[in-house]
Amino acid sequence: MKFRLLIVGLLCACASHAQRMSISGTVSDPAGLPLELVAVHEKGSINGTFTNEKGRYTLSVARADSVTLVFSCLGYMKIETVIPNQQTSLTLDIRMRSQSYELETAVVTASRIQTGTMERIAMGQGRLSVDATGGSIESLVMTAGTGVSTNNELSAQYSVRGGNYNENIVYVNGIEVYRPLLIRSGQQEGLSFINPDMTEAVQFSSGGFEARYGDKMSSVLDITYKKPEQLAGGVSGSLLGGNVYLESATGKFTQITGFRYKRGTTLLSTLDTKGDYDPSAIDLQTYMTYSFSPKLTAGFLGNYSENIYDFIPQTRETSYGTMDNPRKFKTYYGGMERDRFRTLFGAATLKYAWDDRADIALQLSGFQSHEEENYDIDGAYYISNVLDENNEDNIGTGAFLQHARNRLNAQVLNVSLVGNAGLNRHSVRWSLGVQKEIIKDRINEWELRDSVGYSLPFDENTLRVRYNLHSKNDIQSTRFFGYLQDTYKFRNQAGLFSLTAGVRGSYWNYNREWIISPRASLGFVPAQNQHYTFRLAGGVYYQSPFYKEFRIIRAGENENNSIELNRDIRSQRSIHLVLGGDYHFKIPDGRPFKFTTEMYYKKLDNLVPYTVDNVRVWYSGENTAYGYATGIDAKLFGQFVPETDSWIGLSLMQAKQYIDGERVSMPTDQLYNFTMYFTDYMPKPYDRLQANLRIIWAQGLPSGVPGNEYKPRFRAPAYRRVDMGVSYRLWSEVDRYRKAVFWNHFRNIWVGVDCFNLLDIKNVNSYSWFTDVTGAQNAVPNRLTGRQLNVKLVAEF
């Protein structure tokens, strides 16, 4: 009898299984990017699931005459699909549609649910955005990213929550990229590595990021390049330079190649220092993929970049001081500066995928940088009190001679194995790798300063220079690293939970240091109100020394200083705690908005004190400080104007450090930072005309004084900048079929005018120090660019 019951039970189970069908597929957004956390359920039933981080889903449903699946996600239109009962398994791919439609003058990006610490930043009309750096992704991050600040429109570098520029890590297609090491000013910087024309997705985290991202203390910028599906391209040009790119897909092979050229001559002409500026930068990149089979693919990312900065200074006139004591600084120059920065980068990836949830990849990458800095500049300066509009009282004269012959060669070779595996609700990532670093540094620079006929510092028996620095260092070192992390997503009556936990470890043979970094984050979406999302993240983050951090300046006789390398250097450490959330809502007319708030605290120790001069960060070379950074960031994203994306943000922060027991501000401490990006367009029938406005208002950065540079004593004035751009669409896809003309080959053609620094406020970036007749040190501000117009043309086909 028991045997018969067992047979009947097995037959019922088989019949029940035979009466069900499996439906799987991928859900993507209007741009074709995978959408995570899309709810997929059977209509009229509690049977459902969510898409994973790759947009994949699998749902088993009972067979019937027909089955209706419902796809829903906040910010997108609900989709219902009827599936006839005709097979036991089915692949169904869905592309969601934004709840707000697309106008020909503005692209609206739907809000995504963010349960992790990585926020996706929409590029929108990035090529039309007003940007003094020439349209970089970093410029977008400066206003759209949470907790990001900048104080130099000539640079693509940014600071995040009290960290400096070197504490931000950048990945392109999962591979870390680098920038030149010798650059000391925004004028020298040229182009950033990231090519906006080749970029498909931008993700950014201001802290509490996952273990799969490397050893940096502040932030991570994760860039994904396009994998083309058809022939397309574009070209753009302006007074700042030009870009061109071409993408194609033929069978198993895809490629996208971009070339950029930049000249900042017109912009640099608005600086206080006048002369012949001749900067030029070129960048050539390509990303290629080849599919040997559906499971085996190969990819290659290559880059060549060269930046040349030639400058022949002539004069400088800077007014400074106070209303009660106005002063003027004048300089007459001779000599010239010629700098050259050339970098090569290549990365190859071979990836094998067992299925859409399990894969393994071998990554090989190499970076090489050759940098030269050469200048011989002499000058005579005058410091005067301004008595009235026509009269000045000279209080200091002098002359100087500056010399440099600096060379740096760096090579970084990396081999790593990366894997992903999905099991039920788990998604496991892991990696093991080794990195070889070879650096050759040759520095020879000095400055001779003369004031009222005496060389400074004065010695009646010896001619002494004010500053002399010499370095001849070679270093070869190896790093071993790896990580393991798991993301587990589940839901219950309370709502949806997303837990990511992992650990990262590395070893550096130069200082024989092991570092272990546990990290975790928890995201929660309430079942009763999915308009809210809450996040909690924390972990240990190390800043593993690369090269700049462990150089110590050793004082010698007669100001002859040399650079030694500190083998006892330890990794700086930051312990993050981040609590935040999002609130999605709509105003009465249906326009969507998202309000984001994050509070954070970072405990900092083993710090290496540093100074910031323009974009050059100079470290003391020893772990002699500790500190903290805490604050709150708030941002409002939404359609301030219908069918356009805008945002406004405010950050409040305090970043302090303790050096020799004294509490001082960190060089990046800013009490407030206000950013705004606003887009608008003319009503029909003039809706081809659109405008964008970019506003930054931040507290000035702390600055030190000669002899005590690592302990800031005063602040620069607030950084205030307003940029505005106006663009007109000459041709669009709507016009394509009106008549058979040459222009039908183009998707869009735009022409625009930008006004950089609309209010003509010349912000202070750093200070130069000169002595007057009383022996007092004068902090002469080094100001940035003034108002400048730019015209541009953008065409896409």
Side-chain angles (χ1 to χ4, degrees):
M1 184 64 181
K2 293 181 179 180
F3 179 75
R4 292 177 180 177
L5 290 175
L6 178 61
I7 294 296
V8 171
L10 289 174
L11 290 175
C12 290
C14 292
S16 174
H17 179 76
Q19 292 176 1
R20 300 191 68 82
M21 61 185 296
S22 176
I23 305 173
S24 61
T26 302
V27 181
S28 58
D29 65 8
L33 300 177
L35 268 179
E36 185 183 9
L37 298 177
V38 177
V40 184
H41 73 275
E42 183 180 356
K43 188 174 183 180
S45 169
I46 62 172
N47 182 31
T49 185
F50 286 90
T51 58
N52 62 17
E53 67 278 2
K54 296 183 179 180
R56 296 285 300 173
Y57 72 94
T58 300
L59 185 65
S60 177
V61 300
R63 297 186 63 182
D65 291 338
S66 64
V67 176
T68 301
L69 290 189
V70 180
F71 298 81
S72 60
C73 183
L74 187 63
Y76 297 89
M77 297 180 65
K78 184 182 295 184
I79 294 179
E80 295 187 5
T81 301
V82 179
I83 302 171
N85 181 15
Q86 57 184 3
Q87 51 190 354
T88 58
S89 64
L90 175 70
T91 299
L92 178 63
D93 296 333
I94 296 295
R95 178 166 290 194
M96 305 294 285
R97 290 181 295 170
S98 171
Q99 288 181 331
S100 297
Y101 56 88
E102 182 177 325
L103 288 183
E104 61 179 68
T105 56
V107 176
V108 181
T109 304
S111 299
R112 293 169 175 260
I113 296 177
Q114 179 190 337
T115 57
T117 57
M118 296 296 292
E119 62 176 315
R120 185 182 292 270
I121 297 178
M123 295 182 60
Q125 296 282 8
R127 303 180 75 185
L128 301 177
S129 300
V130 56
D131 178 16
T133 65
S136 66
I137 294 295
E138 292 87 346
S139 178
L140 175 65
V141 172
M142 290 172 192
T143 58
T146 304
V148 183
S149 64
T150 180
N151 70 327
N152 190 340
E153 65 272 9
L154 295 175
S155 173
Q157 304 304 316
Y158 51 85
S159 62
V160 179
R161 292 178 176 173
N164 65 47
Y165 313 132
N166 297 327
E167 296 175 15
N168 307 314
I169 193 168
V170 179
Y171 287 89
V172 174
N173 288 355
I175 300 172
E176 183 180 357
V177 297
Y178 301 86
R179 67 186 184 96
L181 300 174
L182 279 183
I183 287 179
R184 65 175 69 201
S185 69
Q187 295 93 308
Q188 299 173 323
E189 193 167 287
L191 292 158
S192 73
F193 182 94
I194 305 168
N195 188 326
D197 295 331
M198 300 172 62
T199 301
E200 180 180 70
V202 180
Q203 295 188 90
F204 179 77
S205 174
S206 301
F209 42 89
E210 302 169 6
R212 63 189 173 112
Y213 295 113
D215 295 314
K216 297 288 187 179
M217 292 200 301
S218 290
S219 75
V220 57
L221 177 60
D222 192 357
I223 302 296
T224 302
Y225 274 179
K226 300 175 185 176
K227 187 176 180 180
E229 298 179 354
Q230 60 183 2
L231 179 65
V235 60
S236 62
S238 72
L239 297 180
L240 297 179
N243 304 353
V244 61
Y245 76 97
L246 180 68
E247 59 184 75
S248 63
T250 55
K252 299 180 179 181
F253 177 75
T254 71
Q255 70 81 31
I256 180 169
T257 302
F259 176 79
R260 294 178 292 164
Y261 174 71
K262 180 180 178 181
R263 282 186 63 84
T265 303
T266 57
L267 192 60
L268 297 180
S269 65
T270 63
L271 295 170
D272 283 353
T273 302
K274 306 301 179 182
D276 294 332
Y277 289 94
D278 188 19
S280 64
I282 61 172
D283 179 273
L284 176 64
Q285 289 191 45
T286 184
Y287 175 55
M288 299 179 288
T289 66
Y290 184 82
S291 298
F292 297 98
S293 69
K295 293 186 175 182
L296 184 62
T297 59
F300 174 76
L301 173 63
N303 168 255
Y304 172 80
S305 176
E306 185 172 60
N307 176 26
I308 298 176
Y309 177 72
D310 289 343
F311 176 44
I312 303 177
Q314 295 174 351
T315 62
R316 170 182 175 177
E317 182 173 314
T318 301
S319 298
Y320 67 104
T322 64
M323 293 289 292
D324 296 330
N325 185 25
R327 290 187 171 183
K328 185 174 291 186
F329 177 80
K330 295 181 180 179
T331 307
Y332 300 91
Y333 294 99
M336 69 172 295
E337 177 177 358
R338 181 177 177 85
D339 308 322
R340 182 175 181 176
F341 308 92
R342 184 175 67 245
T343 62
L344 292 168
F345 178 84
T349 302
L350 185 64
K351 181 178 179 180
Y352 181 82
W354 285 275
D355 53 41
D356 62 335
R357 298 199 65 189
D359 59 65
I360 188 170
L362 175 65
Q363 294 179 339
L364 307 174
S365 67
F367 168 79
Q368 180 176 320
S369 177
H370 177 72
E371 307 173 32
E372 299 179 7
E373 189 178 37
N374 308 282
Y375 58 79
D376 287 287
I377 297 177
D378 62 90
Y381 67 87
Y382 304 85
I383 303 174
S384 59
N385 286 322
V386 179
L387 303 178
D388 53 46
E389 185 177 351
N390 299 315
N391 295 294
E392 300 176 6
D393 179 23
N394 184 24
I395 60 171
T397 61
F400 59 86
L401 174 60
Q402 298 171 336
H403 167 90
R405 294 293 186 273
N406 299 330
R407 305 287 185 271
L408 189 143
N409 292 307
Q411 294 180 354
V412 180
L413 305 175
N414 184 294
V415 180
S416 59
L417 199 62
V418 182
N420 298 279
L423 179 63
N424 296 327
R425 296 173 180 175
H426 293 269
S427 178
V428 179
R429 297 173 182 263
W430 61 271
S431 178
L432 292 172
V434 59
Q435 179 168 293
K436 182 74 172 180
E437 299 165 4
I438 304 172
I439 298 175
K440 296 182 179 181
D441 184 24
R442 302 292 186 268
I443 291 180
N444 181 15
E445 61 181 58
W446 50 264
E447 179 183 357
L448 177 66
R449 181 77 61 85
D450 179 275
S451 180
V452 199
Y454 293 96
S455 173
L456 299 177
F458 175 69
D459 188 327
E460 62 182 10
N461 298 316
T462 305
L463 178 64
R464 299 173 60 184
V465 296
R466 177 177 178 269
Y467 167 78
N468 183 20
L469 186 62
H470 175 77
S471 170
K472 185 178 180 181
N473 290 306
D474 298 336
I475 176 175
Q476 294 190 30
S477 63
T478 304
R479 300 177 194 266
F480 303 90
F481 58 89
Y483 68 82
L484 175 66
Q485 76 171 46
D486 180 29
T487 299
Y488 176 60
K489 296 182 179 180
F490 63 95
R491 59 174 178 162
N492 54 29
Q493 293 181 348
L496 173 68
F497 293 85
S498 177
L499 174 64
T500 299
V503 62
R504 183 180 188 90
S506 68
Y507 173 78
W508 189 31
N509 71 347
Y510 184 78
N511 64 352
R512 299 182 180 181
E513 180 186 30
W514 287 93
I515 55 177
I516 305 296
S517 302
R519 308 172 188 178
S521 66
L522 176 66
F524 172 60
V525 182
Q528 301 298 323
N529 193 339
Q530 295 190 14
H531 294 281
Y532 289 95
T533 305
F534 302 97
R535 296 181 297 275
L536 176 65
V540 180
Y541 298 83
Y542 286 94
Q543 180 82 15
S544 183
F546 183 67
Y547 180 65
K548 290 183 176 182
E549 291 93 329
F550 58 96
R551 296 186 302 175
I552 303 178
I553 298 180
R554 297 297 188 189
E557 295 183 359
N558 298 326
E559 313 329 308
N560 290 312
N561 302 322
S562 61
I563 294 179
E564 295 182 3
L565 303 183
N566 180 13
R567 281 191 171 271
D568 296 323
I569 192 74
R570 315 312 291 175
S571 296
Q572 302 176 84
R573 187 177 68 172
S574 176
I575 300 176
H576 292 197
L577 181 62
V578 183
L579 175 64
D582 302 328
Y583 173 54
H584 298 260
F585 65 96
K586 294 182 181 179
I587 60 177
D589 64 2
R591 283 181 282 157
F593 285 83
K594 182 181 76 169
F595 180 69
T596 297
T597 303
E598 287 190 351
M599 297 178 290
Y600 61 91
Y601 179 83
K602 299 196 293 187
K603 181 180 181 297
L604 311 171
D605 50 28
N606 279 343
L607 295 182
V608 181
Y610 63 90
T611 63
V612 179
D613 182 8
N614 205 299
V615 299
R616 183 173 70 168
V617 179
W618 193 274
Y619 293 89
S620 68
E622 298 178 291
N623 305 98
T624 58
Y626 64 95
Y628 68 90
T630 184
I632 182 171
D633 301 318
K635 241 177 184 64
L636 178 64
F637 299 84
Q639 297 183 24
F640 294 82
V641 175
E643 286 81 48
T644 65
D645 282 342
S646 302
W647 51 84
I648 184 172
L650 176 64
S651 297
L652 303 176
M653 180 188 70
Q654 185 179 77
K656 303 296 181 181
Q657 62 181 337
Y658 293 84
I659 303 176
D660 300 327
E662 182 180 355
R663 181 175 180 265
V664 296
S665 295
M666 298 191 70
T668 51
D669 178 40
Q670 286 181 306
L671 176 62
Y672 62 88
N673 179 37
F674 173 84
T675 59
M676 180 177 180
Y677 182 80
F678 180 78
T679 57
D680 198 358
Y681 59 91
M682 294 289 290
K684 291 184 177 181
Y686 308 106
D687 51 358
R688 290 174 178 262
L689 184 66
Q690 78 169 42
N692 60 87
L693 186 71
R694 184 173 183 261
I695 300 175
I696 298 177
W697 181 21
Q699 185 184 30
L701 295 178
S703 184
V705 298
N708 202 7
E709 293 86 353
Y710 300 114
K711 298 179 180 180
R713 300 301 183 188
F714 67 98
R715 285 186 180 271
Y719 183 86
R720 298 165 294 167
R721 187 173 177 90
V722 179
D723 299 322
M724 182 176 179
V726 178
S727 303
Y728 182 79
R729 178 174 280 182
L730 297 174
W731 186 266
S732 69
E733 292 179 302
V734 177
D735 306 309
R736 180 175 290 186
Y737 303 106
R738 291 181 180 178
K739 56 178 72 175
V741 295
F742 169 77
W743 305 112
N744 283 341
H745 297 288
F746 292 89
R747 289 185 290 119
N748 299 294
I749 301 178
W750 290 87
V751 62
V753 177
D754 296 332
C755 182
F756 301 134
N757 200 351
L758 182 66
L759 303 182
D760 199 24
I761 300 174
K762 290 194 172 184
N763 293 290
V764 176
N765 178 255
S766 59
Y767 290 89
S768 298
W769 293 87
F770 294 89
T771 306
D772 60 27
V773 292
T774 66
Q777 293 275 4
N778 283 251
V780 180
N782 299 316
R783 293 195 170 93
L784 294 168
T785 59
R787 185 188 295 122
Q788 181 68 36
L789 291 178
N790 180 49
V791 295
K792 59 187 176 185
L793 177 69
V794 177
E796 299 172 324
F797 60 87

